[in-house]
Amino acid sequence: MGEYIMTLDEGTTSARCIIYDRVGNAVSVGQREFKQIFPNDGWVEHDAMEIYSTQMAVAQEALLKASLTYRDIDSIGITNQRETTIVWDKETGRPIYNAIVWQCRRTADTAEWLRDQGYSDMIREKTGLIIDAYFSATKLKWILDNVKGAREKAKRGELLFGTVETWLIWKMTGGAKHLTDYSNAARTMMFNINTLDWDDEILSILDIPRVMLPKPVPCAGDFGETIFELFGGKLPITGAAGDQQAALFGEACFNEGEIKSTYGTGNFLLLNTGNKPVYSSSGLLTTIAWGLNGEVKYALEGSVFVCGAAIQWLRDNLQMIKKSSISENFASKVPDSDGVVVVPAFTGLGAPYWEPDARGAILGIKRSTKKEHIVRATLESIAFQSDDLIKAMEKDLGRKITDLKVDGGASLNNFLMQNQADISDIHIVRHKSIESTSLGAAYLAGLASGYYKSIEDIIEIKDIDKEFYPAIEDEERQRAKAKWHRAVEAVLALAEDEEF
Ligand code: ADP
């Protein structure tokens, strides 16, 4: 039994491999970017062969850097960009088209057609998702419709479909295993999250042959063994989960009512809703968190489109700050934002507002306004937007959420975290390692292999870096939130104004 766990973290722009020791320290990291392909306006593709070769290269690199061999590795866990769609030939092992990336909008028309046909409620009930081109189903249909002869070949069982973890597992096991884990399957918009199986009605509407789909399995378990040639010996793959769900697991949000927020370029919030799917009244997505030990946990998911991106905007466009981290010093130099509210709706507003036409605004500017106030108000806007999602989740869950686990680059900003604790009246925990996505994959793999005996082992090894407690009166909180909501209303009103 090896002393380390290897995680493969296949992201949207780069592949990473992190090797962890028993207490969750990263002992080695390999990382490489891969090509982004933009064949048309709004289209995004990756070369699936490059995804595989890059991922294998960083795995070798991480082993080499730490002078480890396959014998030192207990098991492999995989986490990945979700929804990205790959179709390949079972015989040759080669993709028949580039991977269509989650960001790709080419199938927006198909999504609209599905909505026009009145399938929204059915798809929502079965998959937990709101019909969108983002999810795999319409992308898979596009490949079958547009690559010559693809549908016939697929029907004859000659083609296979997979999201990225499925593809990596199939390649790494030499084609022995064609599997997807529940958390990734739940993002395809053709997987029934209640029955844990592909949905024949949706498959038939989109004319997708079931025979090409991988077998859905829990996130911790037997995903096969790597072929000998990869590492000079076989290694078991025992964990897989989509990136956001892996992060929820990595933050040890194992119980109902536990929530994590990843403050990256955008901000992803996931709430563990326990053994039952909860359907949102605010347009949040219902998804599978993970399958583990014969149980399935569900989650509510919401995202803020612009989080760290607003700080990048201050840095790169407005040139108010030189480094993202300096925003904290700027914000702390002034006692408040002097009445300024920033609504960074650069690309519209998501949940709970859902207004794609909204655009950003800086309100309440006075003669006394300084850049420190604008920087501070921008950080505050991140907390306000996250709070709107937390409140929507509380409504759906039917009770108050008391604790929030945070990760992602902008979670290192202490001003922002304190502001979040104040605005949301919530206790915040930031762990020492904010690489929760990779850690989640390592934990899943380790639990399945017996490296970790139980989730209690994991809770024990999670070290806290810093905690934040709410420190303002409720009256002040409500006043600040009311002001934010009035600013959002102004932005929403302008979105209605065609002349603007
Ligand atoms: P992603 O994985 O989405 O690329 P990261 O988790 O690496 O994002 O976080 C990077 C984002 O966080 C950037 O948008 C950056 O501007 C922002 N960021 C990083 N450090 C800080 C900080 N100390 N304060 C505020 N924002 C920060």
Side-chain angles (χ1 to χ4, degrees), residues 252-288:
C253 293
F254 300 133
N255 300 308
E256 192 230 15
E258 294 186 326
I259 182 172
K260 74 91 192 171
S261 179
T262 302
Y263 295 83
T265 308
N267 181 2
F268 279 89
L269 280 107
L270 262 78
L271 167 71
N272 181 331
T273 62
N275 298 329
K276 280 196 304 288
V278 169
Y279 290 89
S280 173
S281 58
S282 312
L284 303 174
L285 301 177
T286 304
T287 198
I288 292 181

Side-chain angles (χ1 to χ4, degrees), residues 13 16 244 262-268 307-313 315-316 321 323-329 379 382 407-416 434-435:
T13 55
R16 288 205 302 172
Q244 292 307 322
T262 302
Y263 295 83
T265 308
N267 181 2
F268 279 89
C307 169
I311 307 303
Q312 285 168 11
W313 167 75
R315 187 191 62 196
D316 303 338
I321 50 174
K323 270 180 21 198
S324 296
S325 55
I326 296 292
S327 60
E328 181 174 339
N329 308 38
L379 283 168
I382 296 175
D407 55 30
S411 74
L412 294 173
N413 189 308
N414 292 326
F415 170 83
L416 172 60
I434 55 165
E435 294 293 349

Side-chain angles (χ1 to χ4, degrees), residues 4-50:
Y4 302 95
I5 297 205
M6 174 187 277
T7 62
L8 306 180
D9 180 352
E10 200 291 316
T12 307
T13 55
S14 72
R16 288 205 302 172
C17 170
I18 305 186
I19 298 177
Y20 287 105
D21 68 10
R22 202 167 279 280
V23 290
N25 291 320
V27 296
S28 188
V29 181
Q31 176 160 12
R32 278 190 208 176
E33 294 197 353
F34 51 78
K35 231 182 10 262
Q36 307 292 312
I37 305 166
F38 306 107
N40 268 315
D41 193 28
W43 293 31
V44 190
E45 298 178 355
H46 293 154
D47 175 348
M49 289 305 278
E50 192 189 357

